[in-house]
Amino acid sequence: MYTDILVPTDGSDLAERGLEHGMELAQEHGAHLHILFVVDEAVYGSTPALSSYEAFLDKMADDAEDLAEDFIEEATEQGIDSTMSVLRGVPHEEILNYAQENNIDAIVMGKRGATGVGYPHIGSVTDRVIREAEIPVIPV
């Protein structure tokens, strides 16, 4: 049923639950797993290339790549074909653009991430992705 599954993550424990479920689905369907980390420029700002903010965003992107590589290693150990990407921008926009550009069949993501929106509310990024996606979105 699924050939390409996207799992956006922000590295939080809550988002990691989405990754675990995404891996299970990918393994079950023999699907390619796309792991995406978006450095949120809306939170940290977008500034000129040589500023300290830019260095901070670059550091966050590097840390995200390290984290994503750990997820890729875990997926590989489970026999799941996977790809990681780190993008910078507005998370829900980058997630939706990535899904469209990469012919994603389903998006699996945690209901809440690093912002820690409390129960029973769904996180704002997840909510926007659910409302705007043209493919199934599975909140975990």
Side-chain angles (χ1 to χ4, degrees):
M1 179 173 192
Y2 301 124
T3 58
D4 287 275
I5 298 171
L6 172 60
V7 179
T9 184
D10 60 13
S12 68
D13 290 341
L14 294 169
E16 191 169 331
R17 291 174 55 207
L19 182 63
E20 291 167 3
H21 189 70
M23 283 187 187
E24 290 173 10
L25 278 178
Q27 194 168 39
E28 182 180 320
H29 292 275
H32 184 89
L33 183 69
H34 298 254
I35 301 169
L36 177 64
F37 191 107
V38 180
V39 177
D40 188 350
E41 289 184 342
V43 171
Y44 300 106
S46 180
T47 57
L50 299 177
S51 74
S52 60
Y53 290 114
E54 184 67 22
F56 175 73
L57 291 174
D58 286 344
K59 170 78 168 101
M60 286 191 64
D62 289 343
D63 291 347
E65 286 183 21
D66 291 342
L67 180 65
E69 286 174 6
D70 292 342
F71 294 146
I72 294 294
E73 185 177 316
E74 184 178 341
T76 301
E77 288 173 3
Q78 294 182 32
I80 301 167
D81 185 33
S82 56
T83 303
M84 64 162 249
S85 297
V86 177
L87 302 174
R88 288 173 39 176
V90 179
H92 76 279
E93 293 174 0
E94 295 299 329
I95 292 165
L96 293 167
N97 288 339
Y98 185 95
Q100 184 174 24
E101 291 169 5
N102 291 277
N103 298 315
I104 300 297
D105 301 306
I107 301 171
V108 179
M109 57 193 304
K111 287 182 183 177
R112 294 175 296 282
T115 56
V117 174
Y119 178 83
H121 302 289
I122 197 164
S124 61
V125 173
T126 303
D127 180 58
R128 287 181 180 144
V129 171
I130 289 170
R131 284 187 286 124
E132 296 180 29
E134 297 179 2
I135 58 174
V137 178
I138 303 165
V140 180

